[in-house]
Amino acid sequence: MNAFGRGGRIKHSEYYQCGKGRDLGFGTILNFQTKIGTGMGEQMLSREYYYLGSQLPLDRFLTFYYGHPGFHINNILVILSVQVFMLSLLYLGSLTGELTLCRYDNQGGLIPGQQGCYNLYPVFQWIKRTILSILLVFLINFLPLFLQELTERGTGRAITRLGKHFLSLSPIFEIFSTQIYTHSILSNLTFGGARYIATGRGFATARLSFSILYSRFAGPSIYLGMRTLLMLIYISMAIWMPHLIYFWISIMALIVAPFLFNPHQFSFTDFVIDYREFLRWMSRGNSRSHGNSWIGYCRLSRTMITGYKKHRLGHPSEKLSSDAPRAGWRNVFIAEIVGPISMAVIVTIAYMFVGSFKDNTGHTPPNPLIRILVVALGPIVLNAVLLLLQFVTSVSLGPALGSCCPRFGAWMAGGVHAIAVFGLVAFFEFLWFLERWNGRRAVLGIVSIVFIQRAVNKLIISTLLTRESKSDETNRVWWSGNWFGGNNGSTSSPVREFVVKIVELNLWSGDFILGHILLFALGIPVLIPFIDKIHSTMLFWLRPSRQIRRAIYTVKQRKQRRMIVIKYGLLFLVVLGAFLALIIVPVWLRTLKMECWLCDQI
């Protein structure tokens, strides 16, 4: 390519192409796609691509674009178009929820005598036609496969194979795969870090725990899917139409695809044990080092921005972290500061527009910007105050209680994290209360809160945090209070760790709530009889009698698993009941006519 770009010639030998394929698991395929996506990002930054893109004639350039970067750019545009479309519908929903719309009769004619109405009917018709056209293009993509099977094997085999594709949820996998390609190439263009990933050769038949799948795919897809889903919930409440079902399926695919393609995901016993492992994964790593913990996942996620400090020889926890490059400040500024702040401003404008109108009771609300900033920044301020109190308590009592209570740091961390979760939920409910239990406005407010807090967290990480230490000793010292002695860094370490803990508490609370919402949603299919056999048949296309046998446990192991199911199953039901109460009680309170003095002040 280098010689060709400089006007040289190379010898070309023609060969027969022979394809090679093998059965791979869900994670193996996505690891391979991540490797391909990051590699394409490196190629797009190379000077050879610049030479070819600027010097090839149009016909040869289009061939080069189609065969190389065009596929990946198309994936980026597909995901970007979904987000732009959701933002457009979000703004349209804010219009329809507060303005008087023109009404039409059954024949499609405008009803006369409507003064001051807004004629958005053509816009709704355009949306319906657009979604139908997208669905048509989606179905056309299956036409080549159907025609090939039709000409080679007949009508029956063609219909059977196409049916197997749909029953195996291949469209959901394709949507998720597109997002993985998109995230991989954008992450590499922004932060770098392309490397070889050993994808393995085995066929995945073992079940992975919920915490492993969550930590692997939360950053690439689940977070984006949940933010988009929140917008879609508001859109459905404001302008519901059956055509939106297509986007419900597409966006849900970004969230639940890793779990749908996990073998034996819907086994009742394993599901409850998953919940136990998720709680342990969220809480471990604060009193002693652990290779599989949320704190390790969080630290690794931000090292692409902060980078690592120099290696300290002989430290036991240095091996828990590998080297990671540090992105340039221009890339960080655009991707981690300008992008999130722009999204926060866009959705906040929609909330401010809705908040400028009178509510159902005829009350004119105060400044909506002040209201949303108070509710969005309130949990962050609460976490900062909570961490200051905890720091004073740990420094005062930690050295004295450390010898007799070795888990003092873990208790402090557990209490602070629990209060942070309660605080975040309380502020969400407080916003609903301020909106006089109006569900549609509350959902739009939650969308704004999520984007504002995301922008604040990324702004803090990008501007205030120095390089990350490969050792997790500072994290454990923060909770235990043993800052005196040892290798705990300079006097600035507590200040940096205080800023880090503010961000970590915000992220931990969000992950805790998001993980429970996912588990609640995945728990619904668990109640279906024989769902595990049906799900395994869908994944492997083997009769139940020929499927891979489940693991065999000893009597002691079965007893332990039974006790885990009883204990954590009850805990899961209690948390589920509390979650439903947070939704049902406000809906019931809305039916009551209540005066709210505070709602007119904030």
Side-chain angles (χ1 to χ4, degrees), residues 376-581:
L377 301 180
I380 300 177
V381 175
L382 174 64
N383 292 339
V385 174
L386 188 63
L387 286 169
L388 282 176
L389 296 176
Q390 177 270 323
F391 176 76
V392 174
T393 304
S394 297
V395 172
S396 303
L397 302 179
L401 297 179
S403 57
C404 64
C405 305
R407 294 189 57 82
F408 172 77
W411 294 340
M412 293 295 298
V416 171
H417 284 87
I419 298 175
V421 171
F422 287 131
L424 184 60
V425 174
F427 271 97
F428 284 159
E429 295 293 319
F430 181 60
L431 173 66
W432 204 346
F433 169 74
L434 293 178
E435 296 294 345
R436 300 180 188 273
W437 310 118
N438 188 321
R440 186 168 59 193
R441 288 192 177 187
V443 171
L444 182 58
I446 291 176
V447 173
S448 303
I449 291 172
V450 168
F451 279 95
I452 291 174
Q453 291 187 351
R454 174 174 176 261
V456 171
N457 291 333
K458 288 186 174 293
L459 182 64
I460 294 175
I461 294 174
S462 303
T463 58
L464 299 182
L465 295 189
T466 57
R467 289 182 178 269
E468 195 77 27
S469 174
K470 288 187 177 181
S471 168
D472 63 343
E473 183 179 4
T474 310
N475 169 65
R476 291 180 281 112
V477 168
W478 173 269
W479 301 114
S480 64
N482 295 318
W483 291 97
F484 309 103
N487 299 318
N488 298 326
S490 63
T491 55
S492 63
S493 294
V495 179
R496 181 191 184 277
E497 196 64 19
F498 172 70
V499 179
V500 169
K501 285 294 174 282
I502 294 176
V503 177
E504 287 180 354
L505 273 185
N506 299 333
L507 298 178
W508 193 92
S509 304
D511 280 335
F512 186 84
I513 296 174
L514 175 56
H516 277 81
I517 292 175
L518 287 175
L519 286 167
F520 295 154
L522 295 172
I524 297 175
V526 174
L527 303 177
I528 301 175
F530 308 107
I531 185 61
D532 188 32
K533 290 186 178 180
I534 297 173
H535 181 243
S536 299
T537 304
M538 180 201 75
L539 291 181
F540 303 113
W541 284 106
L542 294 173
R543 292 193 300 270
S545 59
R546 302 191 62 182
Q547 291 178 7
I548 300 173
R549 294 182 179 273
R550 302 289 302 277
I552 299 176
Y553 300 100
T554 63
V555 176
K556 182 179 179 181
Q557 290 174 332
R558 288 199 299 269
K559 183 178 179 180
Q560 291 176 344
R561 287 167 63 88
R562 192 181 305 114
M563 294 303 298
I564 291 173
V565 169
I566 295 174
K567 182 190 304 183
Y568 285 89
L570 293 175
L571 178 62
F572 183 81
L573 292 178
V574 170
V575 177
L576 176 60
F579 178 79
L580 294 177

Side-chain angles (χ1 to χ4, degrees), residues 277-351:
E277 178 60 25
F278 172 71
L279 295 179
R280 292 160 62 94
W281 176 74
M282 292 290 295
S283 58
R284 64 168 64 114
N286 293 318
S287 59
R288 57 182 179 180
S289 300
H290 200 286
N292 182 24
S293 62
W294 181 89
I295 187 64
Y297 152 75
C298 182
R299 294 176 70 249
L300 183 63
S301 300
R302 64 173 180 261
T303 50
M304 294 186 296
I305 303 173
T306 61
Y308 277 123
K309 292 182 180 179
K310 291 184 178 180
H311 179 78
R312 285 194 297 168
L313 295 177
H315 200 276
S317 62
E318 295 282 328
K319 59 185 178 181
L320 297 179
S321 303
S322 58
D323 290 329
R326 186 177 186 179
W329 67 269
R330 293 183 182 87
N331 297 345
V332 172
F333 178 76
I334 295 175
E336 298 295 311
I337 298 179
V338 175
I341 291 179
S342 301
M343 290 295 297
V345 170
I346 290 173
V347 297
T348 304
I349 289 175
Y351 176 80

